[in-house]
Amino acid sequence: MSEVSAEENHVDESPRGIAVMVVVGVLVGLLSGLFGIGGGTIIVPALVWLGLTQRHAAATSMLAIIPTSVSGVLSYAVNGNVDWIAALLVFIGMFVGGQIGSLLLSRLSEVVLRWAFVVFMAFVILSQLIFVPSRDSSIELNLVTGLLMVVFGVIAGILAGLLGVGGGAILVPSLSILFDASDLIARGTSLLAMFPNAVTTTVANVRRRMVHAKVGLIIGIVAALIAPLGTWIAEAMTPRTGEILFATYLTVLLIRSVWVALKITRKQHPWLSPQRGESQEI
């Protein structure tokens, strides 16, 4: 895998930077096992903080999600909390959507990517607060639900490739709300569906030279080792508790993302800043 060009990114690879990557990996592993997500909502902001652009952070995040999702799937599958056919149908759609998302990622501006990330997280938070899944329900597959899963997979794949997330934050609530999956089955199935999508999207990102391989692998391997612990915690808590914890975490992240998005917007579009406009008039 080729690494990104030095001119565009100056990622911190000092002992301090490596330590941050390990801590991020631990957090990602816990959240992946706990909530059935790839961890992009942590990885992307952390990599931006370490020096990567939003574009390259999103692309590198997809690489880290590969080992993370494998570990999470195995942890959920042990207890039968994975719907293999549903995951295949969702992936078929995600494969197409992921390629579209990767293409958009290479072309959209930094400001657009920042605000897309903010809107995405706001949607996930609302879905977590509104709906509480059952632990006993399961997905009932038929021709209609199968086709809907493929269509939904396309949408999830576009967002995953564009935002650098595995898609779990979209898939988990949607599998419960739209397809009546239990909270645990939704998480296990989400992790399985995002694995091949993360692989194909990463290949596309590598071809466009947007992936920092060393950083992605450090975070991904650490996360894979920690994910089973997150799965154990998820099975021990009630569905409602899990939803509240996930929504709380995302709310904190949303506030930070809005602040950063505003900062980048004002930097690239000075005319939007009242203070800067007043100083120019003087």
Side-chain angles (χ1 to χ4, degrees):
M1 292 183 183
S2 58
E3 294 189 355
V4 297
S5 60
E7 316 72 88
E8 296 187 24
N9 297 274
H10 302 278
V11 64
D12 182 4
E13 295 188 45
S14 66
R16 169 181 167 276
I18 298 297
V20 171
M21 295 174 205
V22 172
V23 171
V24 170
V26 171
L27 292 174
V28 167
L30 284 173
L31 290 180
S32 178
L34 186 58
F35 301 126
I37 62 176
T41 49
I42 290 182
I43 300 172
V44 174
L47 293 186
V48 170
W49 184 68
L50 286 174
L52 292 182
T53 64
Q54 181 82 11
R55 187 187 325 279
H56 290 84
T60 302
S61 172
M62 292 302 293
L63 171 61
I65 286 169
I66 295 175
T68 306
S69 59
V70 171
S71 177
V73 167
L74 293 176
S75 300
Y76 276 99
V78 166
N79 294 318
N81 290 316
V82 177
D83 190 315
W84 301 86
I85 298 177
L88 175 61
L89 292 172
V90 171
F91 164 67
I92 291 173
M94 290 188 76
F95 174 77
V96 177
Q99 304 309 302
I100 298 173
S102 176
L103 178 63
L104 292 174
L105 179 64
S106 67
R107 297 186 177 184
L108 294 179
S109 69
E110 188 86 355
V111 171
V112 172
L113 292 174
R114 294 279 188 175
W115 285 109
F117 197 71
V118 168
V119 172
F120 161 71
M121 284 192 295
F123 162 77
V124 176
I125 291 170
L126 287 175
S127 68
Q128 297 297 302
L129 295 175
I130 293 173
F131 181 78
V132 181
S134 167
R135 179 139 298 181
D136 301 321
S137 58
S138 59
I139 301 172
E140 294 186 10
L141 284 174
N142 53 51
L143 181 59
V144 175
T145 57
L147 290 174
L148 287 175
M149 282 187 173
V150 174
V151 172
F152 177 73
V154 173
I155 298 172
I158 292 174
L159 291 174
L162 179 61
L163 304 176
V165 298
I170 310 165
L171 293 176
V172 173
S174 297
L175 286 172
S176 294
I177 296 171
L178 300 177
F179 303 105
D180 201 32
S182 71
D183 62 321
L184 296 180
I185 291 178
R187 293 167 189 169
T189 303
S190 167
L191 287 167
L192 177 58
M194 76 174 64
F195 163 68
N197 179 68
V199 173
T200 55
T201 304
T202 295
V203 170
N205 288 335
V206 167
R207 290 175 178 172
R208 296 184 175 97
R209 300 184 62 81
M210 296 190 297
V211 177
H212 198 299
K214 179 180 178 180
V215 175
L217 290 174
I218 290 174
I219 295 175
I221 292 172
V222 173
L225 295 175
I226 301 297
L229 175 60
T231 303
W232 178 79
I233 297 173
E235 294 173 349
M237 67 173 56
T238 64
R240 186 55 179 170
T241 301
E243 301 298 300
I244 293 174
L245 287 177
F246 191 31
T248 301
Y249 156 71
L250 288 179
T251 299
V252 174
L253 196 58
L254 175 62
I255 294 172
R256 180 191 178 279
S257 297
V258 169
W259 180 81
V260 174
L262 286 171
K263 186 177 179 181
I264 294 293
T265 302
R266 289 171 179 169
K267 181 178 179 181
Q268 295 192 10
H269 302 283
W271 55 273
L272 291 175
S273 174
Q275 293 182 351
R276 187 168 299 182
E278 292 172 2
S279 63
Q280 288 175 348
E281 290 177 0
I282 295 173

